[in-house]
Amino acid sequence: MKGSFKAKVISKRFLSDDVFLLKLREPIIAEESLPGQFVNLRCSSIYEPLLRRPLSIYDVEEDNFLLLIRIIGKGTKLLSLVREGDELDVLGPLGNPFPYRMYKNPLLVAGGIGIAPLHFLLKKLSFPILLFGARSKSELYGLEDLTKIARVIPFTEDGSEGERGLVTTRLKEFLKGHDVIFACGPMGMLREVVTIAKDVGVPSYISLEERMACGFGACLGCAVKTKKGYKMVCKDGPVMPGEEVII
Amino acid sequence: MKGSFKAKVISKRFLSDDVFLLKLREPIIAEESLPGQFVNLRCSSIYEPLLRRPLSIYDVEEDNFLLLIRIIGKGTKLLSLVREGDELDVLGPLGNPFPYRMYKNPLLVAGGIGIAPLHFLLKKLSFPILLFGARSKSELYGLEDLTKIARVIPFTEDGSEGERGLVTTRLKEFLKGHDVIFACGPMGMLREVVTIAKDVGVPSYISLEERMACGFGACLGCAVKTKKGYKMVCKDGPVMPGEEVII
Amino acid sequence: MKLSIQLGNLVLENPIIIASGVFSPDSASYFPIEAIGAIITKTVTPRPREGNPPPRLLETAAGLINSIGLQNVGIERFIEEELPRYMELGVPIIVSISGETEADFPLMAERLRGKGIAGIELNLSCPNVQRGGMHFGRDAETVFRIVREVKDASSLWVMPKLTPQARDIVETALAGEEGGADAISLVNTFLAMAIDIRARSSRLGTLMGGLSGPAIKPIALRMVYEVARAVRIPVVGCGGIMNAEDALEFLIAGASAVEIGTACLINPSIPAEILDGIRKFMEEEGIDDIRELIGSLKIKPLDI
Amino acid sequence: MKLSIQLGNLVLENPIIIASGVFSPDSASYFPIEAIGAIITKTVTPRPREGNPPPRLLETAAGLINSIGLQNVGIERFIEEELPRYMELGVPIIVSISGETEADFPLMAERLRGKGIAGIELNLSCPNVQRGGMHFGRDAETVFRIVREVKDASSLWVMPKLTPQARDIVETALAGEEGGADAISLVNTFLAMAIDIRARSSRLGTLMGGLSGPAIKPIALRMVYEVARAVRIPVVGCGGIMNAEDALEFLIAGASAVEIGTACLINPSIPAEILDGIRKFMEEEGIDDIRELIGSLKIKPLDI
Ligand SMILES: Cc1cc2nc3c(=O)[nH]c(=O)nc-3n(C[C@H](O)[C@H](O)[C@H](O)COP(=O)(O)OP(=O)(O)OC[C@H]3O[C@@H](n4cnc5c(N)ncnc54)[C@H](O)[C@@H]3O)c2cc1C
Ligand SMILES: Cc1cc2nc3c(=O)[nH]c(=O)nc-3n(C[C@H](O)[C@H](O)[C@H](O)COP(=O)(O)OP(=O)(O)OC[C@H]3O[C@@H](n4cnc5c(N)ncnc54)[C@H](O)[C@@H]3O)c2cc1C
Ligand SMILES: Cc1cc2nc3c(=O)[nH]c(=O)nc-3n(C[C@H](O)[C@H](O)[C@H](O)COP(=O)(O)O)c2cc1C
Ligand SMILES: Cc1cc2nc3c(=O)[nH]c(=O)nc-3n(C[C@H](O)[C@H](O)[C@H](O)COP(=O)(O)O)c2cc1C
Ligand code: FES
Ligand code: FES
């Protein structure tokens, strides 16, 4: 039985006012996780919030795994208050990873907090290239560390770091020589990525978000429309072929 | 308008595994509180627990007031987790105090956590005498400090401190020369106190507990049966004449 | 910014109404009176009622069960002692009444004529002694009759308050409208239970109580939407409203005003906070008149 | 310690049943199968249904609104592809069925004969296409007819699942009993809404959804009590059961078994935890047979 785990909080580090890195200890999750997969986390032991919260695996370090979390509501707020030594109830790893072994020369595209699953992916690739966009410099989470493990081309809407503009503006150019796109970020960005990938004739895989209850395919709650009917983000995704999803 | 206050947590100190002293800063509450009154406290900003929690005022120190809290459920558990500098939403002071100015030589009787309002009362009296009972020594909260401000006669059921037995066993004896009893503790103890007081013909005032919603007399939820019909513990009490209450 | 709303010929300065059972003149000093559109009194009955045995309250997940048992001094003492103190507040006062039999309602309404009150709310969530204790509000026909008799007996503004235990909440609302109601309010509490598993008995002094609070909000909102869509008279929404966002949901669903119950017990200054929140929302959204919001819910084609 | 219970002629090893809609054979590995008394399948319909547009889920205070829209592959593919996978689990399988018309129910029941299933649950919380989309479970008579036709069409064990939107939940239960039901289960979700105040539209892909979870527990418990008191057939309680204490409340109120829905989504190992909790409680209370608990609620004289 794939039960949930009690993962111990090893450390918590804020990267900005509302984004933090949480390191949790759970050997099995650390062992089994692949880039693009996520965990489903309880934020409290009471009934508010009632549901778990899905969070991508940001990294794995020995027996630990890391999450990059942006505070947007009460669940993530509660998570931001955990202390070293606390235990969190975690279900995972869940979902399907990026099919990175099937391709030779992927281009990675991240928008803001969408860097989470791609960070983990980067570490599995040999000569990774990442286009990383955000509104401004402060939202290019972990940029410095990223440059150590990948060629990173940053974009900011306000020009405070890298090129001014959206991460997709020069995507077509950058795509040359790549045989696939792996992307995660806001819906608008993903839509643009998929359109460009189709234009160029390169496959794309995007990591999607949808509200979830179970996270393991039981409730049929996290539906996303695809050319083959509704698919479940938690079980059929979160990584899905860009050509299939209707977004 | 008597709104609620944001009281700042000054300190938190555990007296036992499940009982702690909380010092909160709020000048108006500190200024206005009288022994026997209580505050009604929100334990979280979300809807669980939904209601405030009533807690007696244990002491007042300059701009601060103190609460002696025993962890029994989720509300008090949450309170036990507050940290220095946190702010708590407090309504109060509420309810009626012990009518201590009307009597010359009161005898105080406390059972366990029931010491909370009596501690504050002790400090207002000249030569206070307190019978303080509990199951065992560890539940005679703050005994040492109490002995500095009052003549304390401790009772424990297991004999681990003071006399072995219930606080009410020798109440009749101790009553001699006193013109009133002020008591707070478990229902069984209060019942016994009232019976003895009646026997002896001495008035008694007991501090009652009942589940509360508002704490200020609006919901009629905290009813207790009295000879004059239902009274509200929050508004007509929590301190009530022992002869009137039907318990 | 226009916050004033109309419930038939009753005009309120703002749509925030204190629900029945969470306010008393004695506790007025805890409430931001100036921010309140109207106050509904605790329900009054023909004779005094001592109320239910304790415990009368129980907290549940995001909810509160109460079993107060309509404790009140009866209409005569109410008119003499309590009503004047309500009237002093300078806020429109709506008197909530309930009877043991259908005939009690018009008689009580008559007694309330000429007292300067803004109107009457009919609490129909109480047992009809003549019909085996079935709540008045279960049946549309009963509601129709009570409303009509009350309207016949007095010229007062009348608003039946529907119970979620109604066999059909929309039918019941329509019956109230047909009976001549000036507005409809809903919902009262949901009949609920909680059991002490060790004692194998109710955790309340009575077997059942009424559930209120955030737990019921999504159901109450749905009922308000259904009723507002069906009737032509104004609807007052109630059930689990804890903040401005909740209140706005009810307005958008079709309520012309909202009643705040449980939230007042937890935080009596909430009416002012909700009103502020509504003001801020209107500012942000560029809405000048609150009436633009009422019933502004957009329905997708699929939903009809 | 005896944990086995009987629902008519269906005997379960323990009273913990997985409610419809929170389990799939694909997700079986997350569940403690050995601790489960029975599993109810996701509702199957005559034809495949693609389900509702997203968002299909919304969290509310201590509750969850879902609008899945009965997504399923239809009875034919269900029987061919899914049912065998359910049957492999070695747990009694109750198939939940629903139709678009009354006639669909007996036809589906017939198709399920001889498949080795433990029985059928009738999901009556879905729109009756022939009656303007009114839910089958609203009217007692409709429930009576559907149950009787299903019983006539097959010898299978049949349990109608009542909706809290029934005009009268007790009448409806009695109608089910009269129709020949082997047991009654209740409740399904409460019709509910939530509004995006900025967009002025539903926060779900559809206008309404069904509320489940701890928020509804006190109401569900009351309904289960009322029904259990009224019918002679066994009752299966459902609604907001999150832990052993909740489950015990339903048993004490009169349920012979309980269905766990939302709690399984949050923590799929909850059936085992609940069963353990029940065991522990029985030990502490010196209860040897769980059947002693069923309906053991003590009623105070005042309550009758
Ligand atoms: C597969 C997957 C992986 C994810 N990975 C990460 C990650 O690595 N880091 C991270 O910070 N976040 C991630 N998210 C998003 C994260 O799950 C949500 O931010 C979180 O659930 C919000 O919870 P909350 O209680 O703080 O906010 P809530 O109080 O629940 O919501 C606040 C607001 O955000 C909206 N919202 C809530 N959840 C979502 C959602 N899933 N999608 C869109 N809007 C939503 C709500 O409708 C509401 O308006 C991921 C989501 C999915 C589905
Ligand atoms: C006027 C007044 C003054 C009080 N002063 C103090 C004080 O100074 N220090 C202190 O520690 N406690 C005091 N109490 C009791 C305190 O309010 C409760 O212990 C607290 O509300 C429990 O909250 P909880 O969320 O931790 O427990 P819950 O989870 O609410 O309850 C846990 C269990 O305790 C029971 N319970 C809850 N509240 C009460 C209550 N008020 N009376 C009896 N049983 C209850 C519940 O039914 C449940 O079984 C006082 C109560 C009143 C009415
Ligand atoms: C303690 C309490 C007492 C109540 N008393 C009455 C009453 O006397 N008459 C009435 O019509 N409704 C009464 N109600 C119901 C409320 O007016 C309101 O309809 C219900 O609580 C739902 O709204 P809420 O969730 O905002 O509380 C009472 C509610 C509570 C919590
Ligand atoms: C995501 C989800 C899907 C559901 N699907 C069905 C269904 O297909 N058929 C059905 O009869 N009930 C369905 N239900 C209702 C549950 O079986 C149950 O009756 C209800 O949720 C109340 O119980 P709970 O509070 O334990 O969840 C569903 C509930 C949820 C949360
Ligand atoms: S979250 Fe339940 S199926 Fe995806
Ligand atoms: S708690 Fe509301 S009247 Fe006492």
Side-chain angles (χ1 to χ4, degrees):
Chain A
M1 206 191 91
K2 301 183 206 156
S4 62
F5 297 101
K6 297 264 173 272
K8 186 169 267 179
V9 176
I10 301 298
S11 68
K12 181 176 77 180
R13 182 162 66 89
F14 277 85
L15 303 190
S16 76
D17 274 1
D18 60 349
V19 170
F20 61 102
L21 259 176
L22 199 61
K23 190 189 284 192
L24 297 164
R25 192 188 140 82
E26 175 32 62
I28 299 179
I29 294 180
E31 164 82 37
E32 295 185 356
S33 295
L34 290 169
Q37 290 191 300
F38 65 99
V39 291
N40 214 0
L41 217 84
R42 287 200 71 178
C43 304
S44 90
S45 59
I46 57 173
Y47 303 137
E48 203 172 334
L50 184 63
L51 302 176
R52 291 172 185 268
R53 295 293 188 260
L55 294 159
S56 303
I57 294 157
Y58 176 80
D59 206 347
V60 159
E61 288 178 3
E62 291 162 17
D63 282 353
N64 305 322
F65 65 96
L66 285 92
L67 305 173
L68 181 72
I69 305 175
R70 179 204 227 133
I71 304 173
I72 68 158
K74 60 187 167 208
T76 47
K77 175 76 199 171
L78 281 171
L79 287 179
S80 75
L81 298 174
V82 299
R83 284 177 268 189
E84 256 175 57
D86 285 356
E87 285 197 336
L88 289 173
D89 181 334
V90 190
L91 206 61
L94 300 165
N96 296 314
F98 287 102
Y100 60 94
R101 292 208 177 97
M102 289 168 52
Y103 297 93
K104 293 224 171 68
N105 199 7
L107 179 67
L108 276 57
V109 184
I113 194 78
I115 190 63
L118 294 183
H119 176 272
F120 189 18
L121 176 58
L122 278 176
K123 297 189 104 182
K124 302 276 182 179
L125 302 175
S126 321
F127 304 102
I129 300 183
L130 168 73
L131 310 189
F132 188 9
R135 265 174 301 186
S136 79
K137 186 176 173 176
S138 63
E139 293 178 13
L140 292 169
Y141 309 111
L143 180 60
E144 213 167 299
D145 292 340
L146 286 167
T147 54
K148 291 175 197 155
I149 54 170
R151 197 186 138 209
V152 184
I153 298 117
F155 292 80
T156 52
E157 290 179 40
D158 64 2
S160 52
E161 175 82 45
E163 292 193 28
R164 180 192 295 267
L166 297 174
V167 69
T168 45
T169 22
R170 286 175 53 207
L171 179 56
K172 227 172 213 166
E173 272 171 56
F174 281 104
L175 247 181
K176 284 199 190 98
H178 292 283
D179 57 349
V180 69
I181 304 182
F182 295 139
C184 185
M187 237 4 166
M189 182 199 100
L190 294 181
R191 234 178 252 123
E192 195 58 25
V193 165
V194 170
T195 311
I196 294 171
K198 278 188 199 158
D199 271 10
V200 177
V202 163
S204 64
Y205 289 87
I206 57 179
S207 178
L208 291 169
E209 289 194 10
E210 193 44 68
R211 289 186 209 143
M212 291 185 180
C214 66
F216 50 84
C219 71
L220 307 185
C222 58
V224 62
K225 193 129 198 158
T226 75
K227 288 190 181 146
K228 300 173 181 165
Y230 286 120
K231 294 277 178 188
M232 295 305 133
V233 169
C234 71
K235 197 169 89 35
D236 306 315
V239 176
M240 290 190 175
E243 306 90 78
E244 276 185 20
V245 184
I246 299 167
I247 45 175
Chain B
M1 205 190 89
K2 301 184 207 155
S4 63
F5 297 101
K6 296 264 172 273
K8 186 170 266 178
V9 176
I10 302 297
S11 68
K12 182 177 75 180
R13 184 162 65 90
F14 278 84
L15 303 190
S16 76
D17 274 2
D18 60 349
V19 170
F20 61 102
L21 259 177
L22 200 61
K23 190 189 285 193
L24 296 163
R25 191 188 140 82
E26 175 33 61
I28 299 178
I29 294 179
E31 164 84 34
E32 295 185 355
S33 297
L34 289 169
Q37 290 191 299
F38 65 99
V39 292
N40 214 0
L41 215 83
R42 289 200 70 178
C43 305
S44 89
S45 58
I46 58 174
Y47 303 137
E48 204 172 331
L50 184 62
L51 301 177
R52 290 173 186 269
R53 294 295 188 258
L55 294 159
S56 302
I57 293 157
Y58 176 80
D59 206 349
V60 160
E61 289 177 1
E62 292 163 17
D63 282 353
N64 305 322
F65 65 98
L66 285 91
L67 306 173
L68 181 72
I69 305 175
R70 178 203 227 137
I71 304 174
I72 67 159
K74 60 186 169 211
T76 47
K77 176 75 197 169
L78 281 172
L79 287 179
S80 76
L81 298 174
V82 299
R83 282 177 271 191
E84 255 174 59
D86 285 358
E87 285 196 336
L88 289 174
D89 181 334
V90 189
L91 207 60
L94 300 165
N96 295 314
F98 287 102
Y100 61 93
R101 293 209 176 95
M102 289 167 50
Y103 297 91
K104 293 225 171 69
N105 199 6
L107 179 67
L108 278 56
V109 183
I113 194 79
I115 189 63
L118 294 183
H119 176 272
F120 188 19
L121 176 58
L122 278 176
K123 298 190 105 182
K124 302 276 181 179
L125 302 176
S126 319
F127 304 102
I129 300 183
L130 168 73
L131 310 190
F132 189 9
R135 265 174 302 187
S136 79
K137 185 177 174 176
S138 63
E139 293 178 12
L140 292 168
Y141 309 112
L143 179 61
E144 214 165 302
D145 292 340
L146 285 168
T147 54
K148 291 177 197 153
I149 54 170
R151 196 186 139 211
V152 184
I153 298 117
F155 293 80
T156 52
E157 290 178 40
D158 64 2
S160 53
E161 176 82 42
E163 293 194 28
R164 179 192 294 265
L166 296 174
V167 69
T168 46
T169 23
R170 288 175 51 208
L171 180 55
K172 230 175 214 164
E173 273 171 58
F174 280 104
L175 244 182
K176 284 199 192 100
H178 292 282
D179 57 350
V180 69
I181 304 182
F182 295 138
C184 185
M187 238 2 167
M189 181 199 100
L190 294 181
R191 234 178 253 124
E192 198 54 26
V193 166
V194 170
T195 312
I196 294 171
K198 278 189 201 158
D199 272 10
V200 177
V202 163
S204 64
Y205 290 87
I206 57 179
S207 178
L208 292 169
E209 289 194 9
E210 193 43 70
R211 288 186 208 143
M212 292 187 180
C214 66
F216 50 84
C219 72
L220 307 185
C222 58
V224 62
K225 192 129 197 158
T226 75
K227 289 191 180 147
K228 301 174 182 165
Y230 286 120
K231 295 276 179 189
M232 295 306 132
V233 170
C234 70
K235 196 168 91 32
D236 306 315
V239 176
M240 290 190 177
E243 305 89 80
E244 276 184 20
V245 183
I246 300 167
I247 46 176
Chain C
M1 194 177 284
K2 287 190 195 133
L3 290 171
S4 155
I5 57 100
Q6 241 182 307
L7 302 172
N9 53 29
L10 175 61
V11 179
L12 303 186
E13 261 181 42
N14 73 60
I16 312 298
I17 301 176
I18 306 290
S20 178
V22 300
F23 181 93
S24 66
D26 278 349
S27 63
S29 58
Y30 289 91
F31 287 83
I33 300 296
E34 67 296 342
I36 295 173
I39 294 173
I40 303 182
T41 70
K42 170 90 195 148
T43 297
V44 193
T45 54
R47 277 166 293 279
R49 286 173 62 103
E50 75 161 351
N52 287 337
R56 292 181 173 184
L57 297 172
L58 187 78
E59 207 183 41
T60 64
L64 168 65
I65 310 185
N66 87 76
S67 146
I68 309 296
L70 293 184
Q71 173 174 345
N72 79 99
V73 295
I75 183 105
E76 295 308 328
R77 270 184 65 195
F78 172 80
I79 289 175
E80 240 164 84
E81 298 167 17
E82 288 189 10
L83 188 53
R85 301 188 55 209
Y86 273 109
M87 299 303 292
E88 273 169 17
L89 298 170
V91 173
I93 300 298
I94 297 168
V95 178
S96 168
I97 64 169
S98 189
E100 287 170 11
T101 66
E102 279 182 40
D104 286 339
F105 287 90
L107 288 174
M108 293 179 79
E110 253 178 88
R111 287 293 289 122
L112 289 165
R113 280 192 310 187
K115 300 281 186 290
I117 65 172
I120 289 179
E121 185 177 70
L122 305 174
N123 176 359
L124 303 167
S125 302
C126 33
N128 182 341
V129 171
Q130 285 172 329
R131 293 192 54 190
M134 195 171 88
H135 289 194
F136 293 106
R138 287 276 294 151
D139 260 328
E141 270 166 66
T142 313
V143 173
F144 167 77
R145 275 198 310 274
I146 294 179
V147 173
R148 202 176 51 183
E149 280 162 27
V150 169
K151 282 306 283 185
D152 285 351
S154 82
S155 56
L156 285 168
W157 181 93
V158 172
M159 172 165 77
K161 182 180 186 184
L162 307 186
T163 153
Q165 277 75 244
R167 293 169 68 87
D168 187 314
I169 197 113
V170 171
E171 260 175 36
T172 314
L174 288 168
E177 178 174 42
E178 183 136 332
D182 296 279
I184 299 273
S185 64
L186 72 161
V187 296
N188 212 313
T189 52
F190 287 73
L191 213 53
M193 282 175 70
I195 293 174
D196 180 331
I197 59 171
R198 309 246 169 219
R200 317 252 214 286
S201 64
S202 172
R203 295 185 66 188
L204 293 161
T206 51
L207 181 64
M208 294 177 189
L211 182 67
S212 64
I216 67 168
K217 196 201 77 174
I219 317 177
L221 181 65
R222 184 262 301 174
M223 291 177 162
V224 166
Y225 168 78
E226 288 179 335
V227 164
R229 198 176 48 165
V231 300
R232 278 152 304 155
I233 52 177
V235 169
V236 175
C238 177
I241 298 175
M242 304 303 282
N243 52 42
E245 186 172 342
D246 293 341
L248 285 161
E249 283 187 71
F250 279 80
L251 296 177
I252 294 167
S256 296
V258 291
E259 293 182 12
I260 318 291
T262 306
C264 290
L265 301 177
I266 297 164
N267 178 13
S269 53
I270 200 71
E273 291 174 22
I274 291 179
L275 195 61
D276 279 353
I278 291 179
R279 267 204 207 96
K280 201 165 145 251
F281 175 81
M282 287 172 61
E283 224 168 78
E284 285 166 11
E285 296 278 303
I287 295 165
D288 189 54
D289 188 333
I290 196 162
R291 288 173 301 179
E292 286 172 39
L293 278 171
I294 298 169
S296 60
L297 184 70
K298 292 175 201 146
I299 310 290
K300 297 163 200 156
L302 223 146
D303 299 329
I304 306 171
Chain D
M1 193 177 286
K2 288 189 195 135
L3 291 170
S4 155
I5 57 100
Q6 241 181 309
L7 302 172
N9 53 27
L10 175 61
V11 178
L12 303 185
E13 264 182 42
N14 73 59
I16 312 299
I17 302 176
I18 306 290
S20 178
V22 299
F23 182 94
S24 66
D26 278 350
S27 63
S29 57
Y30 289 91
F31 287 83
I33 299 296
E34 67 295 344
I36 295 173
I39 293 173
I40 303 181
T41 70
K42 171 90 196 149
T43 297
V44 193
T45 54
R47 276 167 293 281
R49 286 173 62 102
E50 74 161 352
N52 286 339
R56 291 180 174 185
L57 298 171
L58 187 77
E59 208 182 39
T60 64
L64 169 65
I65 310 185
N66 87 77
S67 146
I68 309 296
L70 295 184
Q71 172 174 344
N72 80 97
V73 297
I75 183 102
E76 295 308 327
R77 270 183 64 194
F78 172 80
I79 289 174
E80 241 163 83
E81 298 166 19
E82 287 188 10
L83 187 53
R85 302 189 53 209
Y86 273 108
M87 298 304 292
E88 274 169 19
L89 298 170
V91 173
I93 300 298
I94 297 168
V95 178
S96 169
I97 63 169
S98 190
E100 287 169 11
T101 67
E102 280 182 39
D104 286 339
F105 288 89
L107 289 174
M108 292 178 81
E110 254 178 87
R111 287 293 289 120
L112 288 165
R113 279 194 308 191
K115 301 282 185 292
I117 65 173
I120 288 178
E121 184 176 72
L122 305 174
N123 176 359
L124 303 167
S125 302
C126 33
N128 182 340
V129 170
Q130 286 171 327
R131 293 192 52 191
M134 195 172 85
H135 289 194
F136 292 105
R138 287 275 293 150
D139 261 327
E141 271 166 66
T142 312
V143 173
F144 168 78
R145 276 199 309 273
I146 294 179
V147 173
R148 201 175 54 183
E149 281 163 25
V150 168
K151 281 307 283 188
D152 285 350
S154 82
S155 56
L156 286 169
W157 180 95
V158 172
M159 173 166 76
K161 181 178 186 185
L162 307 186
T163 152
Q165 277 75 244
R167 293 170 66 89
D168 187 314
I169 198 114
V170 171
E171 260 175 36
T172 314
L174 288 167
E177 179 173 42
E178 183 136 337
D182 296 279
I184 299 273
S185 63
L186 71 159
V187 296
N188 211 312
T189 53
F190 287 73
L191 213 51
M193 282 175 70
I195 293 174
D196 179 331
I197 59 171
R198 308 247 170 218
R200 318 256 214 283
S201 65
S202 171
R203 294 184 67 188
L204 293 161
T206 51
L207 181 63
M208 295 177 188
L211 182 67
S212 65
I216 66 168
K217 195 202 77 176
I219 317 176
L221 181 65
R222 183 263 301 176
M223 291 178 161
V224 166
Y225 168 78
E226 289 179 334
V227 164
R229 196 176 49 165
V231 300
R232 278 153 302 155
I233 51 178
V235 169
V236 175
C238 177
I241 298 174
M242 303 305 281
N243 51 43
E245 184 172 343
D246 293 341
L248 286 161
E249 283 187 70
F250 278 81
L251 296 178
I252 294 168
S256 297
V258 291
E259 294 182 12
I260 319 291
T262 306
C264 290
L265 301 177
I266 298 164
N267 178 14
S269 53
I270 199 71
E273 291 174 23
I274 291 179
L275 195 61
D276 279 352
I278 292 179
R279 265 202 208 97
K280 202 166 144 252
F281 174 82
M282 287 171 61
E283 225 169 77
E284 286 167 11
E285 296 278 303
I287 295 165
D288 189 54
D289 189 334
I290 196 159
R291 289 172 302 179
E292 286 171 40
L293 278 170
I294 297 169
S296 60
L297 184 70
K298 292 175 201 145
I299 309 291
K300 297 164 201 156
L302 223 146
D303 299 329
I304 304 170

